[in-house]
Amino acid sequence: MTIIIGEIAYTNILPTFYYLDRKKLNELDCRFVPQIPAELNRGMANGAVDVGGISSFAYGENFDRYTLLPNLSVSAYSQVGSLFLFSKKPIEELNEKSIALTSSSATTVHLLKIILGKFYEFDVQYEVMKPNFEEMLINHDACLLIGDDAIRTVWNKSNQIYMYDIGQLWYEHTGLPMTYAVFAVRNEVLESESEKLSMLYQQFINSKTKSFEDRFQPMITSIKSDIGGTQAFWEQYFQGLSYDLDEQMLKGLNFYYQLAYELGYLKRKVQSISLWSAYDHCHSM
């Protein structure tokens, strides 16, 4: 059986993919499909993708159908550097205003709604749009952008625009880290392809480890060539992210799911977070 691996087409997840031995994985009948998070979420849900770094919110919607690969995520203890609310007004003045939301996201869209609805107690009008900063702000007071779209906007925005890091806002109100993407596998694949999954998992871990050992330097050189930015910017950016999935991250993730359920964004309460084990069993948190 071919294992289809969804690969988020953003730089924030690159350390877990950069050093993969793709030739070896292709020989094992593993195929990679680059997608934005929203596309990958849909692919996992309809069975077109077997394994992927999906939005944490998408896992919450399908917690009983997916199992998470341990020690892998895209998380941050505070600032993220690529998830921003850009606003014409200070955030304190956004009550009863309108915000354009990127169509590329699920986790951060609902995280912003939780922050403004639960912590600020605002009533805000939202509209989902394609991620284009100028167009989003034509008829809206603020816009949410993520990933490389957000990074490019930071580099080019006017000083008259207010900018808020969503991860920083979450941390200020909860004291908890936030996990934005998790590595999930459809449960049907767990038993039928356990050997391939074990090798793929080890490759992800090896890539993450080597990225940190190399201090992200070869990867940053490649990123600068592709989309620009300074050495200092990218070094600071990757140092602010975590690719683990520790107890505090799981605590933050569970709190996020609790609030999403209370506010009606998740139809079902997330009963547990299931973590896969390479030793042919999984456990729940």
Side-chain angles (χ1 to χ4, degrees):
M1 169 185 169
T2 300
I3 293 184
I4 307 300
I5 303 157
E7 183 173 2
I8 295 179
Y10 286 152
T11 54
N12 59 10
I13 204 169
L14 194 54
T16 51
F17 283 86
Y18 190 75
Y19 287 107
L20 294 181
D21 187 341
R22 293 174 186 258
K23 181 179 178 181
K24 182 177 181 179
L25 290 171
N26 286 337
E27 291 173 352
L28 290 172
D29 211 10
C30 296
R31 184 161 65 88
F32 292 85
V33 179
Q35 296 176 322
I36 63 172
E39 293 172 345
L40 180 50
N41 296 342
R42 287 191 291 269
M44 285 284 292
N46 63 30
V49 176
D50 299 310
V51 183
I54 64 170
S55 297
S56 295
F57 185 82
Y59 174 76
E61 292 181 304
N62 298 277
F63 69 93
D64 54 347
R65 298 175 56 204
Y66 304 158
T67 298
L68 299 188
L69 300 181
N71 305 315
L72 291 170
S73 77
V74 179
S75 302
Y77 277 88
S78 182
Q79 296 182 4
V80 183
S82 58
L83 308 172
F84 286 104
L85 176 69
F86 298 97
S87 179
K88 300 173 185 177
K89 306 171 182 291
I91 193 171
E92 294 80 9
E93 299 178 13
L94 288 178
N95 190 29
E96 299 184 346
K97 298 298 188 289
S98 64
I99 297 178
L101 303 172
T102 175
S103 59
S104 303
S105 170
T107 299
T108 312
V109 160
H110 291 95
L111 183 61
L112 177 64
K113 290 181 178 180
I114 289 170
I115 290 169
L116 294 182
K118 187 75 173 180
F119 304 142
Y120 285 87
E121 298 183 342
F122 283 176
D123 181 14
V124 177
Q125 298 297 315
Y126 296 104
E127 181 183 358
V128 177
M129 299 180 64
K130 291 182 179 179
N132 183 299
F133 174 75
E134 288 78 13
E135 293 183 6
M136 294 170 92
L137 286 187
I138 291 175
N139 297 311
H140 297 85
D141 300 288
C143 70
L144 174 69
L145 289 171
I146 71 167
D148 298 347
D149 298 315
I151 290 172
R152 292 189 181 97
T153 301
V154 171
W155 292 342
N156 298 297
K157 78 172 184 66
S158 163
N159 291 332
Q160 297 177 338
I161 296 294
Y162 296 90
M163 183 175 73
Y164 300 93
D165 188 298
I166 305 302
Q168 177 69 25
L169 292 176
W170 169 259
Y171 181 77
E172 287 174 357
H173 288 92
T174 66
L176 292 168
M178 180 60 200
T179 295
Y180 301 93
V182 290
F183 283 70
V185 54
R186 292 192 300 112
N187 289 340
E188 305 93 283
V189 180
L190 287 175
E191 293 186 8
S192 62
E193 300 296 337
S194 60
E195 185 173 346
K196 289 181 184 178
L197 187 61
S198 294
M199 298 184 73
L200 174 63
Y201 173 69
Q202 193 57 54
Q203 287 261 351
F204 281 138
I205 294 295
N206 290 346
S207 182
K208 179 182 78 167
T209 301
K210 185 164 178 54
S211 293
F212 277 87
E213 289 175 349
D214 289 348
R215 302 176 63 85
F216 310 108
Q217 295 306 309
M219 187 179 68
I220 288 174
T221 299
S222 176
I223 293 170
K224 286 164 58 181
S225 175
D226 290 339
I227 68 174
T230 66
Q231 185 77 16
F233 171 84
W234 288 113
E235 288 181 355
Q236 182 180 15
Y237 176 67
F238 284 111
Q239 287 168 5
L241 295 174
S242 174
Y243 297 91
D244 302 323
L245 191 58
D246 62 23
E247 295 294 328
Q248 276 295 102
M249 292 169 188
L250 289 168
K251 183 177 179 180
L253 194 54
N254 273 309
F255 189 45
Y256 168 78
Y257 290 144
Q258 175 188 327
L259 295 178
Y261 175 72
E262 289 177 3
L263 293 173
Y265 302 134
L266 285 175
K267 296 180 180 179
R268 298 179 299 157
K269 187 175 182 179
V270 177
Q271 300 295 338
S272 63
I273 297 175
S274 297
L275 299 176
W276 178 78
S277 170
Y279 300 103
D280 297 323
H281 63 85
C282 62
H283 63 279
S284 299
M285 295 297 296

